[in-house]
Amino acid sequence: MAKDFYGELQLGILGGGQLGRMLIQEAINYNVNVHVLDPDKNAPCRKLCNRFETGSLSDFETVYNFGKDLDMITIEIEKVNVDALEKLEEEGVMVYPQSRVIRLIQDKGLQKQFFKQNGIPTAAFQLISNKENLHDTHISLPYIQKLRKDGYDGKGVRKINDVAAIATAFEEPSLVEELVDFEKEIAVIVARNDKGQVSTFPLVEMEFNPEANLVEFLISPSTLSFEIQTQAEEIAKKIADDLQIVGLLAVEMFLTKDGQILVNELAPRPHNSGHQTIEGNITSQFAQHLRAIFNLPLGSTAVRTNAVMINLLGEPNYEGMAKYDGVEEALGIEGVFVHLYGKKYTKPFRKMGHVCIVNDDRDEAIKNARFIQEILKVKA
Amino acid sequence: MAKDFYGELQLGILGGGQLGRMLIQEAINYNVNVHVLDPDKNAPCRKLCNRFETGSLSDFETVYNFGKDLDMITIEIEKVNVDALEKLEEEGVMVYPQSRVIRLIQDKGLQKQFFKQNGIPTAAFQLISNKENLHDTHISLPYIQKLRKDGYDGKGVRKINDVAAIATAFEEPSLVEELVDFEKEIAVIVARNDKGQVSTFPLVEMEFNPEANLVEFLISPSTLSFEIQTQAEEIAKKIADDLQIVGLLAVEMFLTKDGQILVNELAPRPHNSGHQTIEGNITSQFAQHLRAIFNLPLGSTAVRTNAVMINLLGEPNYEGMAKYDGVEEALGIEGVFVHLYGKKYTKPFRKMGHVCIVNDDRDEAIKNARFIQEILKVKA
């Protein structure tokens, strides 16, 4: 990097939520000047950066004007105006991950085609232009229908059980996917810098909240076999190489009951499945993302100890000014790290924070995490 | 604490330097609203808080007005207007550490008298009103003369070798202290919350830069005997209890060549001798300070791995806009954490950042730290 960036670099982050917030906590160590754009004037990053701008991430002019005087732009959410990023790239602003990578990942149809073209294992699928097409798909019922664009955290995903259910299916461009009979949801976060150095974090296993379809519980390191872990990491590395991405890439996968790994989807940024790296690994995912986009040597991803991550989701039936029950009791347990996201208002299943529980004894870490899940509640 | 403070508490920090900066990095996890007062408009905290105010820390009106609408005030430097803090305390603002503790520690004479009154081992001393008194002191030459107020980082300390040197001694109120023939400088950081819970971090050994009299190199954990470590920790706990301090207290001590521990001086705040706790211990000193002032259970101070801390001091002979040489090479070594302090200008021996090097092999950690000391330079 030509510019001496420790203190001079102007870094823009599209999105000012918790991922941006934790990225800033780390960016402080590098003297980076951080600029944030977010539509919400109360976004978690609002008071932690050199400049906070309120505006739409989908609007061409807003994103272009936000970025045109910056040196580098990164994202904490992939639903952003890619045309603006492409123009900024042409004008010399460094955009990591690159606009073409964001464009591809924004569209779950393009993602699936990319997997197919590059021989990356994934569930059988078919692209669908409109609801009527569903009657002709070769994917057999029941199947999953996913909107090609704008789905996140389980939104934009529907299970179609039978022909009658097609009436309630999404109208917009979508894809249908074979139902995967999976044993576990697993994830590997991989980083790649512009020199082409690629490094994966060890595989993690996730448990989802069935009601909200959000990661609720995550254990690192995994106890899956060495073969499975290696295979998942190799897949993640291959995707990073095939994409030639610069930055972090979260690769969410299914481990099927017959031991197959199928890639589910990608996120080109820090990810909920990597929060435990802050305390559990030598390098955190946020530090690694910065190393990758700054073209620095990638850090060691080695596990330091057992870490369990639980999301603090807004309790069902509570909406309003957030109150946190049980923080004091949770902090009385050894190895407990509470991360609150600075969100003033809670609503059911809103991600309000997370807790990382570390322990040299894995069972103890899990036991403590289960206990904290019971006592720590976000209410209003 | 009556107030539900996650998101509502308005916390003021007197001082906006690197200690405040690292405290903010941690306070983000608790949704605290941070207000900072510092005389330097370019202070390291300026862009990381809800409100940054430029003003004198020694001025009554400035400190009082800064604090009067806040819920709680803490400090990152002890040279502040204590009368203003006392008035704020009377008006119901929580001030941690308490104004009376800051008042005592601001004056090295009062500190020494406190040690004597409470049976805390310290070098023999005598209070001195003016230079003339030096001719009558019962402390034998050569001795150390220290200004009672406003000394820091080796400033305000002078060695008086012989009677002739008295001519060049400090004029202001001071103390003279027996010269200690020490083997090592050691430190214990202790925390105490308002419930009276007290917890020490394991002892650390420091090496000082002889030219600048600043901590340059620190190794955790110590390899000193269990007896010495326990004794030092007990002394630190006793001081915290005797002072009834709320917050963090750094206790700097000498280990003499004949194995005695003598307390040198106190700092009622996060301290340079605790930076390695960020990566090296379960709870960092910054997290512990917040737990203490928020009256939360104190965190485990257990060592996670060997950690060496080196200060990044401005190179001699360079003054101006800071440039950092060797960061990329340093980050290529496993277990290296660089913390830059966001200071635009460097000057000889200015604290510009620090690096923490962790490794499960102690010798390897030391070797890597020595290497980084050679390659990582702050120039202009």
Side-chain angles (χ1 to χ4, degrees):
Chain A
M1 188 180 298
K3 190 154 193 166
D4 178 22
F5 64 87
Y6 311 107
E8 290 175 32
L9 188 95
Q10 306 295 327
L11 173 69
I13 306 177
L14 296 181
Q18 64 266 18
L19 299 173
R21 188 172 163 101
M22 291 184 270
L23 195 62
I24 288 173
Q25 279 179 295
E26 187 60 39
I28 290 170
N29 294 328
Y30 293 92
N31 284 359
V32 177
N33 302 295
V34 177
H35 305 248
V36 173
L37 177 66
D38 195 281
D40 178 2
K41 69 174 172 31
N42 290 317
C45 293
R46 70 194 175 284
K47 292 293 183 186
L48 306 173
C49 49
N50 290 55
R51 174 171 64 114
F52 179 78
E53 203 178 304
T54 310
S56 165
L57 297 170
S58 320
D59 181 63
F60 180 93
E61 288 299 326
T62 306
V63 172
Y64 175 74
N65 287 326
F66 170 75
K68 68 183 166 29
D69 298 320
L70 300 176
D71 299 305
M72 189 186 281
I73 292 181
T74 190
I75 59 170
E76 60 120 53
I77 181 169
E78 49 277 22
K79 198 183 162 187
V80 295
N81 190 295
V82 185
D83 293 331
L85 291 179
E86 200 170 75
K87 186 170 159 70
L88 289 166
E89 267 170 354
E90 283 161 14
E91 294 178 3
V93 178
M94 293 177 278
V95 178
Y96 298 133
Q98 304 94 320
S99 64
R100 61 170 178 77
V101 173
I102 303 172
R103 195 185 290 284
L104 185 143
I105 290 177
Q106 276 183 344
D107 183 334
K108 288 182 183 165
L110 294 182
Q111 264 192 61
K112 291 290 277 190
Q113 287 179 319
F114 166 82
F115 297 152
K116 199 170 168 184
Q117 282 154 16
N118 290 276
I120 292 154
T122 192
F125 69 101
Q126 187 176 348
L127 302 188
I128 300 291
S129 332
N130 60 57
K131 207 155 77 175
E132 282 316 297
N133 286 177
L134 288 175
H135 291 286
D136 309 320
T137 173
H138 65 265
I139 306 290
S140 52
L141 283 160
Y143 52 66
I144 299 292
Q145 185 193 21
K146 288 182 179 175
L147 289 180
R148 288 184 62 165
K149 291 200 170 181
D150 301 344
Y152 68 96
D153 279 351
K155 292 185 183 67
V157 176
R158 210 163 267 181
K159 188 176 168 197
I160 308 292
N161 282 314
D162 48 36
V163 177
I166 294 179
T168 67
F170 294 119
E171 197 48 84
E172 299 88 341
S174 66
L175 61 97
V176 292
E177 203 177 60
E178 226 176 47
L179 204 59
V180 175
D181 190 17
F182 62 84
E183 175 74 33
K184 275 205 158 98
E185 299 201 47
I186 58 180
V188 171
I189 292 177
V190 58
R192 183 178 174 281
N193 67 18
D194 202 30
K195 295 185 195 84
Q197 192 192 355
V198 174
S199 173
T200 53
F201 283 92
L203 181 152
V204 294
E205 299 168 43
M206 296 175 284
E207 277 182 29
F208 281 71
N209 177 308
E211 200 177 340
N213 198 22
L214 289 169
V215 178
E216 195 174 64
F217 199 94
L218 181 151
I219 308 169
S220 162
S222 164
T223 51
L224 291 171
S225 73
F226 179 75
E227 286 69 26
I228 294 287
Q229 297 203 36
T230 309
Q231 201 187 328
E233 287 167 19
E234 288 308 316
I235 290 170
K237 277 185 193 166
K238 175 170 163 46
I239 297 174
D241 273 332
D242 289 343
L243 284 174
Q244 298 274 298
I245 189 175
V246 171
L248 221 56
L249 181 74
V251 182
E252 295 189 76
M253 295 173 267
F254 298 118
L255 176 63
T256 65
K257 290 195 171 143
D258 55 357
Q260 254 194 302
I261 294 173
L262 297 175
V263 175
N264 180 21
E265 57 187 60
L266 306 176
R269 50 167 173 81
H271 191 259
N272 204 159
S273 64
H275 290 352
Q276 81 294 342
T277 58
I278 299 175
E279 291 91 9
N281 297 61
I282 299 272
T283 306
S284 78
Q285 66 165 340
F286 301 100
Q288 193 77 313
H289 184 62
L290 292 175
R291 284 173 180 250
I293 66 177
F294 295 161
N295 209 11
L296 291 167
L298 299 178
S300 162
T301 58
V303 164
R304 300 177 73 178
T305 185
N306 301 292
V308 180
M309 192 286 308
I310 54 180
N311 274 332
L312 280 180
L313 305 178
E315 282 291 295
N317 307 320
Y318 289 93
E319 197 153 344
M321 285 277 283
K323 303 270 171 219
Y324 300 84
D325 281 5
V327 175
E328 186 165 345
E329 193 175 355
L331 288 173
I333 300 166
E334 180 159 337
V336 171
F337 300 86
V338 174
H339 298 256
L340 302 181
Y341 295 159
K343 296 179 184 177
K344 214 165 174 170
Y345 300 102
T346 182
K347 57 185 180 184
F349 304 114
R350 188 174 192 199
K351 288 182 183 172
M352 301 298 289
H354 78 265
V355 184
C356 183
I357 298 96
V358 300
N359 205 299
D360 288 339
D361 178 333
R362 183 183 165 93
D363 292 336
E364 194 73 14
I366 294 172
K367 200 191 79 187
N368 289 342
R370 293 286 181 210
F371 178 69
I372 288 168
Q373 257 179 334
E374 274 167 37
I375 60 165
L376 192 46
K377 302 285 179 193
V378 188
K379 296 182 175 173
Chain B
M1 187 179 299
K3 189 157 193 166
D4 178 22
F5 65 87
Y6 311 106
E8 290 174 33
L9 187 95
Q10 306 296 324
L11 173 69
I13 306 177
L14 296 182
Q18 64 266 17
L19 299 172
R21 189 172 162 101
M22 291 184 271
L23 195 61
I24 288 173
Q25 278 178 296
E26 187 59 38
I28 290 170
N29 294 327
Y30 293 92
N31 283 0
V32 178
N33 301 295
V34 177
H35 305 248
V36 173
L37 177 66
D38 195 281
D40 178 1
K41 68 174 172 32
N42 289 317
C45 294
R46 69 194 175 285
K47 292 293 185 185
L48 305 173
C49 48
N50 290 54
R51 175 170 65 114
F52 178 78
E53 204 177 302
T54 310
S56 165
L57 297 169
S58 320
D59 181 63
F60 180 92
E61 289 298 325
T62 307
V63 171
Y64 174 74
N65 287 326
F66 170 76
K68 68 182 165 30
D69 298 320
L70 300 177
D71 299 305
M72 188 186 283
I73 291 181
T74 191
I75 59 169
E76 61 119 52
I77 182 169
E78 49 278 21
K79 199 183 161 188
V80 296
N81 190 294
V82 185
D83 293 332
L85 291 179
E86 200 170 75
K87 186 170 158 72
L88 289 166
E89 267 170 353
E90 283 162 12
E91 293 179 2
V93 177
M94 293 177 276
V95 178
Y96 298 133
Q98 305 94 319
S99 63
R100 61 169 178 79
V101 173
I102 302 172
R103 195 184 291 284
L104 185 143
I105 290 177
Q106 275 183 345
D107 182 334
K108 288 181 184 167
L110 294 182
Q111 263 192 60
K112 291 290 277 190
Q113 287 180 319
F114 167 83
F115 297 152
K116 198 171 168 183
Q117 282 154 14
N118 289 276
I120 293 154
T122 191
F125 70 100
Q126 187 176 348
L127 300 189
I128 300 290
S129 332
N130 59 57
K131 209 155 75 173
E132 283 315 296
N133 287 176
L134 288 175
H135 291 285
D136 311 319
T137 173
H138 66 265
I139 306 289
S140 53
L141 283 160
Y143 52 64
I144 299 292
Q145 185 193 21
K146 288 182 180 175
L147 290 180
R148 288 182 62 164
K149 291 200 168 180
D150 301 345
Y152 68 95
D153 279 351
K155 293 185 181 67
V157 177
R158 212 163 266 181
K159 188 176 168 196
I160 308 292
N161 281 316
D162 48 35
V163 176
I166 293 180
T168 66
F170 293 118
E171 198 47 86
E172 300 88 341
S174 66
L175 62 98
V176 292
E177 204 177 60
E178 225 175 47
L179 203 59
V180 176
D181 189 18
F182 62 84
E183 175 74 32
K184 276 206 157 100
E185 299 201 47
I186 57 179
V188 171
I189 292 177
V190 58
R192 183 178 173 280
N193 66 19
D194 202 31
K195 293 184 196 86
Q197 191 190 358
V198 174
S199 173
T200 53
F201 284 92
L203 180 151
V204 294
E205 299 167 45
M206 296 175 285
E207 277 181 30
F208 281 72
N209 177 307
E211 198 177 341
N213 197 23
L214 289 169
V215 178
E216 196 174 64
F217 198 92
L218 183 151
I219 307 169
S220 163
S222 164
T223 51
L224 291 171
S225 73
F226 178 75
E227 287 69 26
I228 294 286
Q229 297 204 35
T230 310
Q231 201 186 327
E233 289 168 17
E234 289 308 316
I235 291 171
K237 276 185 194 166
K238 174 169 164 46
I239 298 174
D241 272 335
D242 289 344
L243 284 173
Q244 298 274 297
I245 190 175
V246 171
L248 221 55
L249 181 74
V251 182
E252 295 190 75
M253 295 172 268
F254 297 119
L255 177 62
T256 67
K257 289 194 171 143
D258 56 356
Q260 254 194 301
I261 293 172
L262 298 175
V263 175
N264 181 21
E265 56 186 61
L266 307 176
R269 51 167 171 80
H271 190 259
N272 203 159
S273 64
H275 290 351
Q276 81 295 341
T277 58
I278 299 174
E279 290 91 8
N281 297 60
I282 298 274
T283 305
S284 79
Q285 65 165 341
F286 300 99
Q288 194 77 315
H289 184 63
L290 292 174
R291 283 173 180 250
I293 65 177
F294 295 161
N295 208 11
L296 291 167
L298 298 178
S300 161
T301 59
V303 164
R304 301 178 73 179
T305 186
N306 301 293
V308 180
M309 192 285 309
I310 53 180
N311 274 332
L312 280 180
L313 305 178
E315 282 293 295
N317 307 320
Y318 289 92
E319 197 153 346
M321 285 276 285
K323 303 270 170 218
Y324 301 84
D325 281 3
V327 175
E328 185 165 346
E329 193 176 353
L331 288 173
I333 300 165
E334 180 158 338
V336 171
F337 300 86
V338 174
H339 298 256
L340 302 180
Y341 295 159
K343 296 179 184 176
K344 214 165 173 169
Y345 300 102
T346 183
K347 57 184 181 185
F349 303 114
R350 186 173 194 201
K351 288 182 183 173
M352 301 298 288
H354 78 264
V355 183
C356 183
I357 298 97
V358 301
N359 205 300
D360 288 338
D361 178 333
R362 183 182 165 93
D363 293 335
E364 194 72 13
I366 294 171
K367 200 191 78 186
N368 289 342
R370 293 285 179 211
F371 178 68
I372 287 168
Q373 257 179 335
E374 274 167 36
I375 59 165
L376 193 46
K377 302 286 180 195
V378 188
K379 298 183 174 172

